[in-house]
Amino acid sequence: MQPLALYNTLTRKKEVFEPLHAPFVGMYVCGPTVYGEAHLGHSRAAITFDILFRYLMHIGYKVRYVRNITDVGHLVNDADEGEDKIAKQARLAQLEPMEVVQHYTIRYHQDMQQLNVLSPSIEPRASGHMIEQIALIEEIIANGLAYEVNGSVYFDVPAYNQHQRYGKLSGRIVEDLLANTRGLDGQQEKRSPLDFALWKKASESHIMRWPSPWSEGFPGWHLECSAMSRKYLGPEFDIHGGGLDLMFPHHECEIAQSQASNHTDAAKYWVHNNLITINGQKMGKSLGNFITLRELFSGEHDLLQTAYSPMTIRFFVLQAHYRSTLDFSNEALLAARKGYLKLMNGLKVLDKINYPSDAEETGAQDLEMEKLLADCYRSLNDDLNTAKAIASLFNVLKKINSLYMGQVPVTSLSSSMFQNLKNTYRTLVTEVLGLTEERPDNLDQMLALLLKFYKDAKDVKDYAKVDEIRAEFKKLGIVIKDMKTGIDWAYEE
Ligand SMILES: [Zn+2]
């Protein structure tokens, strides 16, 4: 079996994954800016790196997964001007900025839990790492690659670009970038329009501010990821992940900051998930065409024909390779729901197949089954191709169903291969893909249905049946109440 290979944006090649310090793996992923509800676009990055996290652990690595919470410094306008996204939301809602942060952080965690996204090992906040960020700025200034103007500090891109290549990650060329930038409009402090803020002096009205050697102010958005990844994973670590929309300028700036302080590209492998589109357009809060996860779960949005469960969303994301675009549509989500339920029914059926203890094992199908299971791993090892892995699982499922229906005798698999099939299918579906069973929450309807059977039995005076139903209910802690007005149930006190 070939080893895991990942597409590295930095080298533009699929590369065999070789961690710097096996069996340990350090992975950093840019987390949410907590100023609004998580939407479908957020779920893709979260689920993509959840699968990578799960798969790395599954194949035996000890992973430290750091995903940050951006709670300061992410400005409404990415050109280092404009209001802080969180402060703006706080002003609109008349809240303390940290109330906004707390509110949306909790909701983000709830949404992720619903999607069965594992918690990262460490979830650092930008506002809790001011000391580290200030120290990093001081290092970059000392190395001659940043300068202070009026209490703000900027990264000197042209100076950096003399020795390193600003644009190495995104493939952009400084000369082209300069030709396409509109002067220094409103950014007079910068020496070059490509320079980016490491520290901004806070204006009178700016609420979120911290003391620093240069002014009372706040750090630039790109800085926090460099400071926090270095603190928890070291100056060079294995994987840096995020959405494709973060590749430039955010990740490009992170690499520049890391080279200017640690002389490393921060991570060995830079991994980017593609975006979710809606009618071919990027889905995003700033574009106003997004559907929040909660709206998807409840179905309350003009674009939604129905509600879609968290596992349906998870399957929808997984049935495309993370580097392909994924277009939202009701048809695609309905198909995802079917696909997800198929895999779940496979789990149920597998548990019901009994391997006869006294039968003769032929093992005639062992080789074929082994090949089908290996296909699943081959796809995952090939740049985490969950789309192909799911297709392979459906092939396994066909075999499972033919065993269940008795079209193929179970003994055509040796007992050890049958056990292997059971374990592998369950592990891949539930632990690696992270798909769990969603029990229907229609308990009230189910109870009403059972009470109707009770009433039917009473109507035909089938007292044996009546007693039996009563007894079964009692075992569940429920008593049936026969009243003049009808039949009801209550908890047994
Ligand atoms: Zn980041």
Side-chain angles (χ1 to χ4, degrees):
M1 176 81 60
Q2 86 283 30
L4 172 63
L6 291 173
Y7 182 84
N8 189 353
T9 310
L10 197 55
T11 59
R12 285 165 187 72
K13 278 197 302 246
K14 230 187 261 182
E15 295 176 350
V16 170
F17 178 66
E18 283 166 350
L20 297 163
H21 312 284
F24 301 100
V25 171
M27 175 161 88
Y28 186 93
V29 173
C30 296
T33 300
V34 279
Y35 71 113
E37 299 286 351
H39 59 67
L40 189 55
H42 293 121
S43 71
R44 192 164 195 197
I47 292 171
T48 297
F49 293 100
D50 184 54
I51 295 293
L52 185 51
F53 182 36
R54 287 168 178 271
Y55 192 59
L56 288 169
M57 291 193 291
H58 175 67
I59 58 179
Y61 291 114
K62 297 188 185 325
V63 188
R64 181 180 296 161
Y65 174 19
V66 182
R67 188 186 67 204
N68 67 308
I69 296 269
T70 295
D71 60 356
V72 65
H74 196 167
L75 303 184
V76 173
N77 172 341
D78 278 336
D80 291 332
E81 296 297 323
E83 219 172 337
D84 185 294
K85 286 187 174 185
I86 289 159
K88 182 182 174 195
Q89 190 60 41
R91 183 172 56 77
L92 294 174
Q94 295 195 329
L95 296 167
E96 265 294 318
M98 281 300 147
E99 276 183 283
V100 174
V101 164
Q102 183 73 0
H103 177 78
Y104 287 114
T105 302
I106 289 171
R107 290 174 75 84
Y108 182 75
H109 287 157
Q110 288 168 343
D111 291 345
M112 291 304 115
Q113 206 161 25
Q114 293 244 58
L115 291 170
N116 202 24
V117 167
L118 298 176
S119 299
S121 328
I122 305 178
E123 195 170 42
R125 289 180 177 204
S127 65
H129 295 77
M130 284 300 151
I131 292 167
E132 291 82 355
Q133 294 184 74
I134 289 169
L136 187 56
I137 297 173
E138 285 176 327
E139 278 178 57
I140 298 173
I141 294 177
N143 290 336
L145 294 170
Y147 56 91
E148 187 208 332
V149 186
N150 302 328
S152 291
V153 181
Y154 297 98
F155 191 95
D156 191 336
V157 172
Y160 170 77
N161 200 50
Q162 284 175 8
H163 308 285
Q164 293 283 334
R165 203 185 131 215
Y166 182 77
K168 69 200 286 187
L169 180 70
S170 58
R172 292 178 204 219
I173 313 284
V174 163
E175 288 71 25
D176 295 350
L177 286 169
L178 279 172
N180 293 323
T181 316
R182 285 174 295 120
L184 281 168
D185 198 19
Q187 304 182 59
Q188 282 85 351
E189 289 178 346
K190 293 184 188 177
R191 291 181 192 164
S192 160
L194 298 186
D195 294 352
F196 56 91
L198 299 176
W199 188 264
K200 284 290 280 181
K201 181 181 175 177
S203 63
E204 284 291 300
S205 60
H206 200 98
I207 327 169
M208 299 169 85
R209 51 171 73 212
W210 289 263
S212 81
W214 313 285
S215 64
E216 214 171 78
F218 56 93
W221 170 42
H222 312 308
L223 190 71
E224 63 174 274
C225 291
S226 291
M228 298 191 292
S229 62
R230 181 168 80 169
K231 181 173 171 99
Y232 298 110
L233 299 171
E236 193 179 21
F237 51 93
D238 297 300
I239 300 169
H240 192 308
L244 205 51
D245 52 334
L246 297 180
M247 179 173 68
F248 189 88
H250 185 54
H251 291 162
E252 197 71 66
C253 294
E254 275 189 54
I255 289 184
Q257 289 165 163
S258 179
Q259 279 292 353
S261 52
N262 312 318
H263 310 292
T264 68
D265 289 326
K268 189 175 172 189
Y269 305 91
W270 284 79
V271 179
H272 292 97
N273 65 277
N274 212 321
L275 308 176
I276 292 189
T277 53
I278 181 159
N279 301 321
Q281 251 207 331
K282 183 197 159 187
M283 180 182 285
K285 179 148 175 157
S286 45
L287 297 165
N289 64 349
F290 64 98
I291 307 174
T292 69
L293 290 171
R294 283 167 197 248
E295 285 165 343
L296 282 157
F297 300 161
S298 69
E300 283 158 19
H301 190 288
D302 289 348
L303 288 170
L304 300 176
Q305 284 170 8
T306 178
Y308 298 101
S309 74
M311 286 300 117
T312 301
I313 307 294
R314 191 172 172 104
F315 188 94
F316 170 68
V317 169
L318 292 178
Q319 43 102 43
H321 183 223
Y322 74 92
R323 288 199 294 122
S324 338
T325 52
L326 176 58
D327 200 45
F328 161 85
S329 72
N330 283 285
E331 294 72 33
L333 280 166
L334 290 169
R337 175 149 73 194
K338 274 199 172 156
Y340 156 70
L341 291 173
K342 260 190 178 177
L343 287 184
M344 287 300 113
N345 281 333
L347 283 179
K348 274 197 174 346
V349 161
L350 259 183
D351 280 343
K352 286 181 193 152
I353 303 173
N354 283 318
Y355 198 91
S357 53
D358 49 354
E360 195 177 329
E361 313 176 4
T362 70
Q365 301 260 337
D366 277 15
L367 263 180
E368 198 191 337
M369 183 51 76
E370 198 175 314
K371 195 188 149 298
L372 287 176
L373 294 175
D375 279 348
C376 303
Y377 281 96
R378 190 170 299 116
S379 304
L380 290 169
N381 282 338
D382 181 13
D383 194 25
L384 213 63
N385 197 328
T386 51
K388 279 194 176 162
I390 287 175
S392 304
L393 275 172
F394 280 134
N395 289 332
V396 174
L397 190 57
K398 274 185 209 144
K399 290 280 168 200
I400 294 174
N401 283 328
S402 58
L403 295 176
Y404 176 61
M405 303 297 280
Q407 291 151 342
V408 176
V410 190
T411 48
S412 65
L413 295 177
S414 63
S415 57
S416 62
M417 182 51 79
F418 178 69
Q419 203 50 48
N420 183 17
L421 161 67
K422 265 180 112 162
N423 294 344
T424 308
Y425 185 84
R426 179 168 291 278
T427 304
L428 285 175
V429 171
T430 63
E431 283 174 37
V432 175
L433 297 179
L435 295 164
T436 56
E437 196 180 342
E438 285 173 331
R439 299 233 162 217
D441 60 353
N442 47 6
L443 188 65
D444 284 343
Q445 282 125 291
M446 296 249 193
L447 268 172
L449 183 67
L450 289 171
L451 288 178
K452 189 186 162 293
F453 291 145
Y454 174 80
K455 187 173 175 299
D456 291 348
K458 256 185 88 172
D459 287 350
V460 298
K461 299 191 167 35
D462 182 352
Y463 294 114
K465 195 94 212 149
V466 165
D467 288 345
E468 188 191 336
I469 297 176
R470 277 196 159 275
E472 289 299 325
F473 266 73
K474 202 170 152 58
K475 277 189 213 157
L476 301 171
I478 287 171
V479 281
I480 297 179
K481 299 203 148 188
D482 294 292
M483 299 172 299
K484 280 198 182 126
T485 48
I487 294 165
D488 201 2
W489 67 272
Y491 300 110
E492 191 175 23
E493 291 161 22

